[in-house]
């Protein structure tokens, strides 16, 4: 009888351990610490997004303020349209803000760098569903190497 009770407690302990590990794994994989609360959506069109992916971070000065939630092609020229989910905690970006596709390190992951614009009486704040028009596309390493090689060949 004592052995059966011990087996029952060991089983409960194992199940709780598996649930705890699953919870930790899901939290670590989602990485949504800054976007777990209320968010608002901003859009930006780029000429080239490089290897930017859905769930890539949106950073201001290295601080994560949101995530890329969707990437699609739009318009007659199939321009990449990036949808960003920004934490409501950071809702004071003006229309003059700009966004760039940046890379962490030389070959690291790509992310969006949001540069806050100036605030003036004539400038309004970005709200849910607005678009950022000042965008800078990704630098593609292969293009840079190609330009370097062709410039060397002309000398």
């Amino acid at each position: 009888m004592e052995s059966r009770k011990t087996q029952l407690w060991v089983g409960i302990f194992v199940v709780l351990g598996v649930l705890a590990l699953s919870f930790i794994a899901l939290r670590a994989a989602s990485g949504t610490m800054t976007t777990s609360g209320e968010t608002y959506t901003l859009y930006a069109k780029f000429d080239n997004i490089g290897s930017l992916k859905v769930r890539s971070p949106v950073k201001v000065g290295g601080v994560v303020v949101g995530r890329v939630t969707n990437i699609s092609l739009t318009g007659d020229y199939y321009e990449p349209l990036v949808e960003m989910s920004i934490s409501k905690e950071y809702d004071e970006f003006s229309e003059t803000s700009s966004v760039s596709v940046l890379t962490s390190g030389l070959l690291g992951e790509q992310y969006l760098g949001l540069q806050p614009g100036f605030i003036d009486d004539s400038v309004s704040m970005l709200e849910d569903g607005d678009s950022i028009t000042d965008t800078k596309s990704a630098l593609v390493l292969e293009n840079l190497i190609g330009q370097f090689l062709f410039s060397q060949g002309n000398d």
Side-chain angles (χ1 to χ4, degrees), residues 1-63:
M1 189 66 176
E2 185 67 30
S3 172
R4 184 164 176 85
K5 195 173 185 179
T6 303
Q7 289 176 349
L8 181 65
W9 281 110
V10 169
I12 291 171
F13 179 76
V14 168
V15 168
L16 289 176
V18 169
L19 289 175
L21 287 175
S22 299
F23 176 75
I24 290 170
L26 289 174
R27 290 293 292 179
S30 68
T32 59
M33 288 185 198
T34 59
T35 57
S36 59
E38 288 188 51
T39 61
Y40 64 102
T41 303
L42 296 177
Y43 297 93
K45 282 185 187 176
F46 293 91
D47 292 330
N48 187 346
I49 60 168
S51 60
L52 186 72
K53 295 179 175 63
V54 173
R55 304 186 54 75
S56 294
V58 178
K59 296 180 180 180
V60 175
V63 177

Side-chain angles (χ1 to χ4, degrees), residues 106-136:
L106 187 59
L107 300 174
E109 71 167 347
Q110 290 196 313
Y111 65 95
L112 290 178
L114 185 59
Q115 183 70 35
F118 66 92
I119 298 174
D120 195 357
D121 293 337
S122 62
V123 176
S124 62
M125 294 298 175
L126 292 171
E127 295 179 7
D128 187 35
D130 284 348
S131 293
I132 299 174
T133 55
D134 187 7
T135 60
K136 295 169 186 70

Side-chain angles (χ1 to χ4, degrees), residues 27-104:
R27 290 293 292 179
S30 68
T32 59
M33 288 185 198
T34 59
T35 57
S36 59
E38 288 188 51
T39 61
Y40 64 102
T41 303
L42 296 177
Y43 297 93
K45 282 185 187 176
F46 293 91
D47 292 330
N48 187 346
I49 60 168
S51 60
L52 186 72
K53 295 179 175 63
V54 173
R55 304 186 54 75
S56 294
V58 178
K59 296 180 180 180
V60 175
V63 177
V64 177
V65 297
R67 295 273 172 195
V68 173
T69 53
N70 190 21
I71 298 172
S72 61
L73 295 174
T74 184
D76 294 335
Y77 298 106
Y78 298 113
E79 297 168 311
L81 176 66
V82 176
E83 179 182 313
M84 300 169 275
S85 179
I86 308 292
S87 175
K88 280 273 192 188
E89 184 179 348
Y90 309 104
D91 62 348
E92 295 291 322
F93 294 108
S94 68
E95 297 180 321
T96 57
S97 298
S98 65
V99 64
S100 307
V101 179
L102 302 173
T103 304
S104 298

